[in-house]
Amino acid sequence: MSDGTATTDLGATLEKHRVELTGYCYRMLGSSFEAEDAVQDTLVRAWRSYGTFEGRSSVRSWLYRIATNVCLDMLSAGNKRARPMDLTESTPLARAALSPRPDHTWLEPVPDARVLPATDDPEQAAIAKESVRLAFMAALQQLPPRQRAVLILREVLAWRASEVAELLGTSVASVNSALQRARATLAERRRQGADAAVADPLDEEQRKLLERYVAAFEGYDMSALTALLHEDAVMTMPPFDLWLTGVRDITGFMTTLGASCAGSRLLPVQVNGLPGFAQYKPDPDAGGFAPWAVQVLETSHGRITGFHCFLDTKRWFPLFGLPLHLEAEPDQVEQGG
């Protein structure tokens, strides 16, 4: 085999693990872009050190060991990403002000396709989706980094305790103890209602809810939207730290500070194992519609409980492969003219 063929084969071997490694690093870091940076660093390190790989474990296990070290190094600075609800109190509409914080403050959404490998196992797919939801809902970020790694490796990737212990350079007893503490932390969050149950987007009730949501939002019908929101629903708008709670303040914001969203169009996106939409606002200058936000919805028992709008369109729309302009439909052009 020529050196060129060997190089190509190694590149293909490493590359086939990219999606699952990105999912792992995203769960660890809570950032789409940092996860991709971590995976790239992992693959470069693997490429450079492949000659010293002794083959005592699989290439996959070896890559996870490298990725774990990369993520732990990135987390050693102590930066813990959050949602607006973790940083400030809810703001009444009367005092609403849009104050941005740096990008590294926020937990970030991620397209499903970048972090969820294809699988024919429904149970495995459900576990993977749930863990990506938990990353987005800040649950995983509440765990110390090594507990986070143990939980993901054991519960999501189904590694044996002995394999995790070897990867982390610790004992099986330490791994089991860390897993127990991590499970207890997540169980306490669920007991307090910190992480609402999320219906599967393919569920019939869920589909109807989303259809009603699209109709209400595109029609900017606050009465219809009120009927879909849980009474304690939360609205966030990173990079701004403002967050609103309750139907009255959310719809009040949408008809005052957010009034320019009237007439928007929504395109469905798959994000963090949750239903989501790309929102385009009417573009008075160029005509048609301009990108405004990636929306991520949390739902429970047939109502919307979380309504999260990520407004940095220059970052998010290319990541999701979304167009940066939508043309107006013919009937809209005629009406506008």
Side-chain angles (χ1 to χ4, degrees):
M1 182 183 296
S2 68
D3 289 346
T5 302
T7 298
T8 301
D9 289 348
L10 174 58
T13 297
L14 299 179
E15 190 63 29
K16 73 179 184 180
H17 297 286
R18 181 180 290 274
V19 172
E20 63 171 312
L21 286 172
T22 304
Y24 176 64
C25 293
Y26 173 78
R27 294 174 180 94
M28 287 291 293
L29 301 170
S31 163
S32 313
F33 296 99
E34 285 187 357
E36 295 203 347
D37 289 345
V39 171
Q40 194 60 34
D41 191 1
T42 296
L43 297 180
V44 168
R45 292 188 191 190
W47 183 278
R48 289 174 176 169
S49 61
Y50 190 73
T52 64
F53 175 54
E54 299 176 353
R56 288 183 295 181
S57 63
S58 67
V59 170
R60 180 172 180 259
S61 298
W62 179 59
L63 287 172
Y64 271 99
R65 179 178 292 109
I66 298 172
T68 299
N69 289 330
V70 168
C71 289
L72 291 176
D73 286 346
M74 293 174 74
L75 291 166
S76 64
N79 180 44
K80 184 167 69 173
R81 289 177 176 267
R83 301 201 294 179
M85 299 86 78
D86 304 318
L87 302 179
T88 65
E89 295 296 320
S90 175
T91 305
L93 178 60
R95 293 193 285 109
L98 299 177
S99 304
R101 295 204 189 192
D103 291 335
H104 63 72
T105 306
W106 306 117
L107 276 167
E108 298 178 344
V110 68
D112 284 0
R114 288 182 179 258
V115 295
L116 295 175
T119 176
D120 294 328
D121 184 338
E123 183 177 358
Q124 183 181 347
I127 291 171
K129 274 194 172 185
E130 177 63 16
S131 67
V132 171
R133 290 176 189 141
L134 289 177
F136 178 72
M137 294 177 189
L140 295 183
Q141 297 295 309
Q142 303 302 315
L143 303 174
R146 289 176 73 84
Q147 275 189 36
R148 204 178 309 168
V150 167
L151 182 77
I152 297 165
L153 291 166
R154 292 281 285 121
E155 302 261 295
V156 181
L157 301 174
W159 285 33
R160 295 191 298 271
S162 58
E163 294 174 317
V164 178
E166 182 182 357
L167 183 148
L168 294 176
T170 189
S171 67
V172 169
S174 294
V175 166
N176 289 335
S177 176
L179 179 60
Q180 186 175 15
R181 293 196 302 274
R183 284 172 172 168
T185 299
L186 295 186
E188 178 63 19
R189 283 179 61 88
R190 292 190 185 101
R191 188 185 68 79
Q192 295 174 350
D195 297 316
V198 181
D200 190 311
L202 298 179
D203 178 84
E204 180 65 22
E205 181 185 27
Q206 180 76 10
R207 282 201 298 268
K208 289 180 179 178
L209 175 64
L210 297 181
E211 288 171 2
R212 292 169 64 198
Y213 170 75
V214 170
F217 194 95
E218 291 189 343
Y220 231 58
D221 182 339
M222 293 302 115
S223 295
L225 190 61
T226 294
L228 304 179
L229 293 173
H230 189 277
E231 61 182 7
D232 296 323
V234 167
M235 180 181 183
T236 69
M237 291 161 281
F240 302 112
D241 58 14
L242 170 73
W243 64 283
L244 303 165
T245 184
V247 175
R248 180 174 297 179
D249 277 0
I250 291 174
T251 56
F253 179 89
M254 292 176 66
T255 53
T256 54
L257 293 177
S260 63
C261 289
S264 289
R265 291 294 172 263
L266 300 180
L267 298 182
V269 294
Q270 297 298 314
V271 49
N272 285 86
L274 292 161
F277 296 94
Q279 178 193 345
Y280 291 81
K281 281 178 25 174
D283 188 338
D285 298 320
F289 300 88
W292 181 249
V294 170
Q295 302 180 359
V296 187
L297 304 186
E298 295 178 58
T299 65
S300 180
H301 305 297
R303 293 290 183 94
I304 295 168
T305 57
F307 174 49
H308 309 289
C309 303
F310 292 83
L311 303 179
D312 191 347
T313 56
K314 290 182 180 179
R315 300 179 81 220
W316 299 121
F317 276 57
L319 183 71
F320 281 82
L322 293 163
L324 295 178
H325 184 79
L326 290 183
E327 296 296 335
E329 296 176 4
D331 61 333
Q332 294 167 335
V333 174
E334 291 171 9
Q335 291 170 12

